[in-house]
Amino acid sequence: MSNDYKDFDCYKILDIPQTASPQEIRHAYLKKSKEHHPDVGGSNEQQVKINLAYAILSDPLEREQHDRYWNNLYDTHFTTPKTNRTSSDSKTGYDKRQKTRESSVQQLFTKVAKIFDQTLANLKLEKDRWIKEKISTYEEKVYKWKQEREAQFQQKVSDFEERFKKLREEQLQLFNQQIARYNSLHTQNTRLRKKLFYAAVILSEISLLAIALPFAVLLFSFESIFLVFAIVGAIAMIGVTVFCWLWYATTKWLLVGINGIAITDPDWRKKIRSILIEKYSNKYLIVESQKILINAPDGIEKIRSIFQARLDSQKIAISNQEILFSTTDWRHVIAGIANREGDDKFRNEELNVKTNKEKFLRYVAEIADIVERTITLDTSEEQAARRIAITFFMMGYYPVLYDGQTRVLIFSDGDEKIVIRFRHRAGAPTNISYVKDMVKTMAFNHSNKGFLFCTPGLSQNAAKFANINGIKWYSLETMNEWIDNVLASDYSGPTGDILQNTERMVNFLRHIALSLKGR
């Protein structure tokens, strides 16, 4: 690798961020080539830089060295060099704030946590919207129900008030009619009584003469027939007189119901009125099985009170919970019902998200546990293979295949495959046959990129053969340096579905452990 990249930042040449995935790097390269290729009128010098930038960034090892060099020149990540900063840099996505560098695994952890936190936040928003809609629906239902019941209440109160007033008017009319009737009777009896008195006095005087007539007949010795007629006439007159006096006696009393009132009583009017008031005060109207006397001054209020009590006792069922009409804080009750329903409806979803969050954070923790262990001669071969695999994963490559027999890992950037072979054991440098086997593997998988990690390094012939065939190789010391630099960088895994990629990678790592453990 030449040092040409030290003259320019490859990310700026391709106009991409330092966190770009291998696919994004390729797409940016193709786009820039179409714009600057000499065949379309572009600059040959610019095209050379574009080709070189792509060659560097598409190679995981060279990209790491490029990033390490340029990060040392920047104040912080994604800023321009100290000697060439302008105010316009802030518009190109650069961050001029000083910040603490996060490792790639920490960034992966943050991304995974953020996904679930955002999912929970979205779920909460959805839950809040659902609850608001439910509250609105329930409030509309209760409000409509209350309006209907209120209308029924007003109608019933109006009907019974009208009946009460009508009955009271009817009874008052009858009362007045009875008062007038008894007043008339009193006047008639008073007049009749006078007439009967005079008639009885006259008849009494005539009766006295009639009694004296038989004695006159005997005195003057009239015939017996005249005596008989005189006696019968006297008896008849006495009877008429007695009847007249009896009739006169009966006219002294005026019957009001079962009560008698002397027409000569000076308070006869008050007594008649009192009797009639008592008679008509017992009249009542039945309202919801309750009696309301028509002369009750608060009769209308009692009618409203009865129907108000009945209205207040009515209930409406909202989600198996009854709400009384009289409940003043019914909106608060509805909010409680809707919130409980929302909790029940979204509980399982929230629980699933939290459970998955814990699961995937354990995945990241599993990855972190592996990368924290530097590879030494005492490190197991499966541990070394897993740490190498994680490094490529963090740079944006997907695991495709693992062959435990040949110690081969195959990763892809979505378009091209890269072949990785590892050998972790003490002893002499690895010979050329090991490298030749790798070249065959690359040819079989149609891959132009190969990376070889051998703890003891390569023999002279093997190293030469590797260089000829474009295979990058690392020994134990340089391997750890490269891995540590990558894991301390801003790489945070492949683009796309980060959860699917993380789970895929963890399963891949477990497969390595199962295949190599104990060998």
Side-chain angles (χ1 to χ4, degrees), residues 295-346:
N295 66 335
D298 59 345
I300 300 297
E301 288 73 13
K302 286 183 177 179
I303 290 174
R304 295 189 68 86
S305 177
I306 290 170
F307 281 111
Q308 187 66 55
R310 182 172 179 82
L311 177 64
D312 291 343
S313 65
Q314 293 191 31
K315 304 173 183 178
I316 183 173
I318 299 295
S319 185
N320 299 323
Q321 182 170 337
E322 293 182 335
I323 298 178
L324 288 169
F325 186 93
S326 59
T327 302
T328 57
D329 61 339
W330 58 272
R331 285 185 173 84
H332 179 72
V333 175
I334 282 176
I337 294 172
N339 275 283
R340 286 193 296 273
E341 288 183 337
D343 290 339
D344 292 339
K345 178 178 176 61
F346 289 88

Side-chain angles (χ1 to χ4, degrees), residues 405-459:
Q405 186 67 33
T406 60
R407 307 297 198 272
V408 169
L409 302 169
I410 297 180
F411 278 70
S412 173
D413 62 2
D415 295 319
E416 295 181 348
K417 294 179 181 179
I418 57 175
V419 176
I420 305 155
R421 197 173 189 191
F422 62 92
R423 186 177 187 181
H424 183 62
R425 62 187 63 180
T430 303
N431 59 38
I432 193 172
S433 61
Y434 196 83
V435 181
K436 288 181 177 181
D437 288 339
M438 183 174 176
V439 172
K440 293 178 182 179
T441 302
M442 290 171 62
F444 180 79
N445 287 278
H446 308 286
S447 173
N448 296 319
K449 294 181 180 179
F451 301 91
L452 182 58
F453 297 91
C454 294
T455 299
L458 298 180
S459 66

